[in-house]
Amino acid sequence: MDRIKKRIKKALPTVGLIALTLVLSVIVNSYIREIQVKVHQGIAWVWNDVNQTAGEFLYDTNGVIFNGKGFDNERDIKHVINESFRSVVQINMIPKETGYVKNLGGTGTGFFVMVDDEYGYIMTNFHVIERALLLPLNIDLKVNTATDWWDYEAEIIGADPVADIALVRIKKKDNEEWKPLEFVEDSRIELTEGDPVVVIGHGMSLPFTASTGHINYTNRFGTGVYTLHLQIDAVVNQGNSGGPVVTHDGKVAGVVVSILSPGRQVPGWDGVGLAVMADIAKRTCKYIMDKYKETGETVKWVPYVEVPYKFKIFSYDEMKDNGMLELDREDRNMMYVDMEGNEEGQAYKEGLRSGDILLEINGERTRGPLDLLYVAIHSLPGDTITLKVKRGDEFTGYEELEFSFELNEKDEKELREFVNKMKQR
């Protein structure tokens, strides 16, 4: 035991020197760009001339131990753009020579979301392919990829006018190795304001262009019909619709859908671009794929659920009277139920009442209306929602209650009317 202690004591200076060297290296590499430039040149040489796997290992090691990624935004951007180009396609609506309908042509963007032995499945916007869906006898839908030399006939397999998402597929001709892009798993966790992003597509009908920027806002409600949008400042123009908004990890954060251009007759870049949130796009994609596999027919509508009750937010005076202002902000429950007009609904039948203070939705703490809207927008008719509420007052006492019930489908006609009104704005 004494011998071991002596060896440890003898080794401590060496271990301390190594640790100090590592700390100093991190500090030096973090603040002196010239060193990282040389290091990256060496890694690039290994990557190109020795072994790509070894180069990738050195790059990752440098990024973790020596903070190399702090200086590597440029490489990340280039890598994401070059890798993503192969997964992005150009979608063209080409009028047939019928002589009856003119000015139906157009160009948009799409990207592979799934590839099998026979087909490549492509996501885009509903408004990109809408006329081809409505007028199949007048329009040919064609797809061009960044890696092949020919046009592909595209088949529409499903559309969601509410989220403005559609899926088409093209058939392989030469065992093409198309690569699908992956979505972020949970946008609420993985995406925050300020995150850098890349937009790839065909803005102004210029094929395969890229622009960079940042996320300005996540889960923005009210800019679309019953959906949530990602706001970005990466340049978006006509022709970018349906293209991916890609993070520096190469994951899809959203699907470009529109530009806010107040006062312009022709939409142009004003610094505000909107994209369908990744979680919404994934919901639509899964529903269409499952339904198409089941029926073999084009899916022309994706159902949404009805919010099961109205809700109100406590006013300042109400909070003051109820003693809620004495609580820390994090402990306040701001939203309560209003069942007026919903007495025939499932929520009322299960026992929910006006005035119930909402505590949790599906086991997660709720802080405001957006939490309920988020659950509703991402659910499908028949899904179960579980609510925990607080009921009572300071005189009779409070009790916590839990209710579970199925969500009903929102009226399709009403939603379609909302979609049409939004188009006219």
Side-chain angles (χ1 to χ4, degrees), residues 114-277:
M114 193 181 83
V115 178
D116 58 27
D117 293 338
E118 191 174 4
Y119 294 99
Y121 294 83
I122 296 164
M123 180 172 287
T124 186
N125 286 146
F126 167 72
H127 75 258
V128 169
I129 57 88
E130 180 177 9
R131 284 174 291 179
L133 181 65
L134 297 176
L135 301 169
L137 299 179
N138 300 101
I139 298 175
D140 284 325
L141 195 61
K142 304 277 190 178
V143 166
N144 295 96
T145 75
T147 56
D148 306 296
W149 295 98
W150 40 72
D151 294 337
Y152 292 87
E153 296 279 352
E155 174 190 3
I156 300 172
I157 67 168
D160 181 357
V162 176
D164 203 347
I165 293 291
L167 288 180
V168 304
R169 72 176 185 180
I170 57 176
K171 190 171 184 178
K172 292 182 178 180
K173 297 182 178 182
D174 192 31
N175 296 319
E176 295 89 340
E177 295 182 355
W178 297 318
K179 182 180 178 181
L181 292 178
E182 296 182 18
F183 289 94
V184 298
E185 290 189 15
D186 189 337
S187 60
R188 290 180 295 178
I189 297 174
E190 298 178 58
L191 303 179
T192 57
E193 288 77 7
D195 285 347
V197 290
V198 175
V199 170
I200 299 176
H202 316 291
M204 305 303 291
S205 298
L206 299 173
F208 297 101
T209 61
S211 62
T212 61
H214 299 84
I215 294 174
N216 306 131
Y217 200 95
T218 63
N219 290 306
R220 184 174 288 286
F221 183 76
T223 49
V225 179
Y226 218 65
T227 191
L228 298 171
H229 284 157
L230 188 73
Q231 181 180 322
I232 57 174
D233 60 15
V235 174
V236 171
N237 282 303
Q238 286 182 318
N240 280 115
S241 291
V245 179
V246 187
T247 68
H248 278 206
D249 293 328
K251 302 291 183 66
V252 177
V255 183
V256 175
V257 68
S258 64
I259 316 158
L260 290 183
S261 299
R264 287 178 183 258
Q265 205 168 21
V266 177
W269 178 241
D270 282 339
V272 181
L274 297 174
V276 180
M277 293 293 298

Side-chain angles (χ1 to χ4, degrees), residues 17-38:
L17 181 61
I18 293 173
L20 179 62
T21 301
L22 286 173
V23 171
L24 290 174
S25 296
V26 170
I27 294 173
V28 170
N29 279 281
S30 297
Y31 291 97
I32 301 179
R33 181 176 179 82
E34 289 76 8
I35 293 177
Q36 275 298 320
V37 171
K38 295 296 183 183

Side-chain angles (χ1 to χ4, degrees), residues 286-420:
K286 183 180 186 307
Y287 181 87
I288 290 176
M289 291 297 296
D290 290 347
K291 201 71 174 176
Y292 185 80
K293 289 177 181 178
E294 177 186 337
T295 65
E297 298 178 354
T298 300
V299 180
K300 297 182 179 180
W301 181 254
V302 176
Y304 285 79
V305 304
E306 185 76 58
V307 176
Y309 56 85
K310 299 175 185 177
F311 46 81
K312 293 183 178 179
I313 302 296
F314 283 113
S315 67
Y316 176 83
D317 290 336
E318 288 174 325
M319 293 177 63
K320 185 177 180 180
D321 293 340
N322 292 334
M324 294 176 65
L325 293 178
E326 299 173 7
L327 300 174
D328 291 337
R329 285 178 175 269
E330 292 295 315
D331 296 328
R332 297 172 186 171
N333 296 291
M334 304 293 294
M335 185 167 63
Y336 64 96
V337 176
D338 177 12
M339 296 301 298
E340 183 179 354
N342 288 327
E343 290 83 357
E344 300 299 321
Q346 190 65 28
Y348 190 89
K349 292 177 182 178
E350 292 296 330
L352 205 62
R353 294 294 181 265
S354 293
D356 288 346
I357 301 172
L358 196 58
L359 303 179
E360 294 181 359
I361 301 176
N362 292 340
E364 294 187 10
R365 170 77 186 278
T366 179
R367 303 185 188 281
L370 186 60
D371 294 329
L372 174 62
L373 290 170
Y374 187 92
V375 171
I377 291 171
H378 289 80
S379 300
L380 287 169
D383 288 351
T384 298
I385 186 173
T386 300
L387 306 176
K388 179 184 283 188
V389 303
K390 184 167 71 172
R391 182 181 295 174
D393 55 48
E394 58 182 322
F395 301 107
T396 61
Y398 292 98
E399 61 177 336
E400 292 187 1
L401 303 170
E402 195 169 279
F403 304 99
S404 295
F405 49 89
E406 287 189 359
L407 293 168
N408 296 321
E409 183 174 351
K410 191 171 180 64
D411 184 73
E412 179 180 335
K413 181 180 178 182
E414 180 183 345
L415 267 182
R416 287 191 183 275
E417 288 176 353
F418 284 153
V419 172
N420 292 331

